[in-house]
Amino acid sequence: MTRDFPAGLESLYEALEFVRHAAIEAGLDPRDAQGLELALEEILVNVCNYAYEPGQEGLMRIRVGAEEGRVVVEVEDWGREFTPPRGGPAAHEATCVDEAPIGGLGVFLAGQMLDELTYRREEQRNIVRMTMRTPSCGAV
Amino acid sequence: MLELGTEQRQGWLVVGVGGRLDTATAPAFDEKRTAWMGEGHRRYVLDLSKLDYLSSAGLRSIISMAKQAGSDGGQVSLAGAQGLVKDVIDLSGFNVLLSTFDSVDDAVAAA
């Protein structure tokens, strides 16, 4: 299933809803779907805030599918080349509130929730690919 | 999508946070937090037992609140997190940075 959304935060809930339904339909456990939603929010917010110039109207295309025991979600945009964030200090490594940086957790959490998180640049598009395994032995 | 309610207990402001604390709702939380701080509250228990969803934007709001409260001599404790919300708190290390409790009663009693 593929859908296009305007690349703005006003699309966020609709896009999350679309992916949640499509992923569960593709076999994802509803609890895992929450983790996927969390990861997806981080990726979509990044696209909405940074892919296009301020004031420029842009699209994000979301594709959800099933592939050999996993659900695959791809987010595409036609904006500026995405620079994967460099690993800096993150709150999860801090030991007290004063030291903890305020940001830097989004991509870390996305990576924790997913089985795979990759980025590629193809024909002027940024493509972020996320996968999560689906239960293969039926309900237990 | 975000529900907030407050109650004062033994010198703490207990803030019930329900629904979703995410990119879309974090600004509303931050606005309320500024108002509570302006009213002079310094010690907070965030009751997360009715929170269904917490993303990094929500974590940013919580850590900002804790920094502000800490610099004013107060603190922020977390209570009642469950499911994905608890996973997110543990993965992000907030269970180390902040005091966490199973219930609001425990949080208030621990003071």
Side-chain angles (χ1 to χ4, degrees), chain B residues 51-96:
Chain B
L51 189 65
D52 303 317
Y53 182 90
L54 173 65
S55 72
S56 71
L59 291 173
R60 276 197 294 280
S61 291
I62 292 174
I63 199 74
S64 302
M65 181 183 200
K67 280 176 185 283
Q68 177 76 52
S71 70
D72 293 343
Q75 73 170 88
V76 173
S77 297
L78 307 178
Q82 303 171 52
L84 178 80
V85 171
K86 186 172 189 312
D87 293 346
V88 167
I89 287 169
D90 292 350
L91 281 170
S92 57
F94 275 42
N95 56 338
V96 176

Side-chain angles (χ1 to χ4, degrees), chain A residues 42 85-92 101-110, chain B residues 56 59-60:
Chain A
E42 310 299 349
R86 272 181 287 170
H92 69 282
I102 286 178
L105 275 170
V107 172
F108 166 76
L109 277 179
Chain B
S56 71
L59 291 173
R60 276 197 294 280

Side-chain angles (χ1 to χ4, degrees), chain B residues 7-20:
Chain B
E7 177 194 8
Q8 295 194 47
R9 279 178 64 177
Q10 295 159 249
W12 293 84
L13 188 70
V14 178
V15 180
V17 188
R20 298 173 65 99

